[in-house]
Amino acid sequence: MLQYFSETAPLLLVGCGHMGRAMAQGWLRAGVPADHLYVVDPQADPVSLPGSRADHFVASAGMLPRGMKARAIVMAVKPQVMNDALPLMAPFIGDDTLVLSVAAGVTLEQMARGTGGEGTCVRVMPNTPAAIGEGISGVTAAPGISEVDRALALELMDATGEAVWIEHEDQMDAVTAVSGSGPAYVFYMVECLAAAGVRQGLPEATAMALARQTIIGAGHLLDAETDLEAAELRRRVTSPGGTTAAALDVLMRDDGLGQLMERAVAAARKRGQELAG
Ligand SMILES: NC(=O)C1=CN([C@@H]2O[C@H](COP(=O)(O)OP(=O)(O)OC[C@H]3O[C@@H](n4cnc5c(N)ncnc54)[C@H](O)[C@@H]3O)[C@@H](O)[C@H]2O)C=CC1
Ligand SMILES: O=C(O)[C@@H]1CCC=N1
């Protein structure tokens, strides 16, 4: 698995912040040898990536070994710096190089401009549960991508959880709005549930413990009950005329959580479209 790289045709990560580090952890776990991984980031500290080689961490592209052509370059910098960061990678892009970007909103066309049309561009939207191998990524490229490059892109992201191929690039902003940003919605749900518990008289620490483990437990149950839809698991909590039904009457009304989520996801998708540049 992931045996695409070598010392002379390595995997190059550009930007090792929250998302870049999460993915790199997955690649090292999936067996990419530390010798085959280079990281470019002015801030990154190799200590934050156990199992990596400190001498493969460089502050800028100019410090990478000369003449090296990467097999894959993963751009995990902010969308706003992509136009500056991509052209700096030009010396490391050869005919076989796959250039992946995980930046929200950054299009394949924008990437091709940044690389000067060299290499093959792939647009990816991962999420931070990648850090523990529980991520999900949407992956897309222009229709002409080779089978081997498509497999490499999917395997890279599979190493951080699951990966799904998205046929139409114009759906990537919706992918971003659902699964890229989605973990934040769930963490906010924990915050809101705990705050609501405090309003109903619980001590803060107790409310947080209850809310936190409820989301963790519900997630694990969803994972364990592979044959059951989320809606069925919800029904199994909901006794007719009981407490859950009373709460769901509030959450499921016309202006309830469904509508709120629709507005939130639409706002995230719109912001993704605005970030294209
Ligand atoms: N954080 C998340 O949950 C997700 C983030 N993304 C995308 O990942 C990208 C990175 O986001 P985060 O990791 O959250 O940001 P971050 O701020 O944690 O990391 C960005 C990293 O890029 C480095 N950097 C800045 N300029 C650079 C340059 N010229 N060359 C190399 N490295 C440079 C910074 O030092 C920093 O470590 C963004 O484009 C974002 O849209 C995608 C999916 C989820
Ligand atoms: O908030 C953002 O723009 C990035 C993309 C998806 C998650 N974080």
Side-chain angles (χ1 to χ4, degrees):
M1 181 184 189
L2 273 180
Q3 288 168 341
Y4 293 87
F5 311 108
S6 66
E7 288 207 47
T8 49
L11 170 59
L12 200 52
L13 173 67
V14 182
C16 191
H18 294 113
M19 199 60 246
R21 189 167 52 248
M23 291 187 293
Q25 286 165 346
W27 300 329
L28 291 168
R29 236 192 348 258
V32 172
D35 293 345
H36 300 174
L37 176 68
Y38 281 84
V39 176
V40 181
D41 190 314
Q43 310 263 315
D45 177 358
V47 173
S48 68
L49 192 57
S52 64
R53 268 181 66 164
D55 62 336
H56 280 200
F57 269 69
V58 295
S60 66
M63 297 163 75
L64 287 166
R66 279 182 194 283
M68 184 174 87
K69 300 288 182 194
R71 179 65 183 90
I73 300 177
V74 179
M75 302 296 299
V77 297
K78 293 288 188 197
Q80 294 85 349
V81 305
M82 191 62 80
N83 287 344
D84 292 331
L86 254 184
L88 299 177
M89 303 318 298
F92 311 101
I93 301 177
D95 292 341
D96 285 342
T97 307
L98 207 58
V99 182
L100 302 95
S101 158
V102 303
V106 172
T107 61
L108 290 169
E109 197 268 332
Q110 184 181 348
M111 291 176 70
R113 257 186 284 131
T115 57
E118 300 298 320
T120 301
C121 294
V122 177
R123 180 172 169 188
V124 178
M125 181 43 58
N127 63 12
T128 51
I132 54 163
E134 293 284 351
I136 182 149
S137 303
V139 183
T140 197
I145 188 169
S146 70
E147 282 301 315
V148 66
D149 279 349
R150 182 179 154 127
L152 166 50
L154 284 172
E155 276 184 49
L156 262 181
M157 300 320 299
D158 247 352
T160 70
E162 292 181 32
V164 291
W165 192 263
I166 304 293
E167 293 295 342
H168 302 287
E169 191 196 359
D170 61 4
Q171 294 176 347
M172 285 301 281
D173 292 313
V175 172
T176 305
V178 173
S179 57
S181 299
Y185 315 157
V186 177
F187 300 135
Y188 186 53
M189 173 83 92
V190 174
E191 295 175 64
C192 289
L193 191 53
V198 171
R199 297 274 296 182
Q200 297 305 317
L202 292 171
E204 218 168 286
T206 306
M208 182 50 81
L210 294 173
R212 199 183 146 88
Q213 185 54 35
T214 295
I215 302 282
I216 293 170
H220 281 305
L221 189 60
L222 191 62
D223 190 33
E225 299 281 13
T226 41
D227 294 340
L228 295 180
E229 302 287 342
E232 175 55 23
L233 290 169
R234 166 172 57 76
R235 279 192 284 273
R236 292 183 181 195
V237 186
T238 313
S239 311
T243 61
T244 314
L248 289 175
D249 279 350
V250 176
L251 289 174
M252 295 175 88
R253 65 189 187 195
D254 285 350
D255 63 347
L257 184 60
Q259 206 218 62
L260 203 56
M261 191 59 83
E262 194 176 318
R263 280 170 38 211
V265 168
R269 175 167 178 247
K270 178 167 175 281
R271 184 63 190 138
Q273 289 165 335
E274 290 165 359
L275 284 169

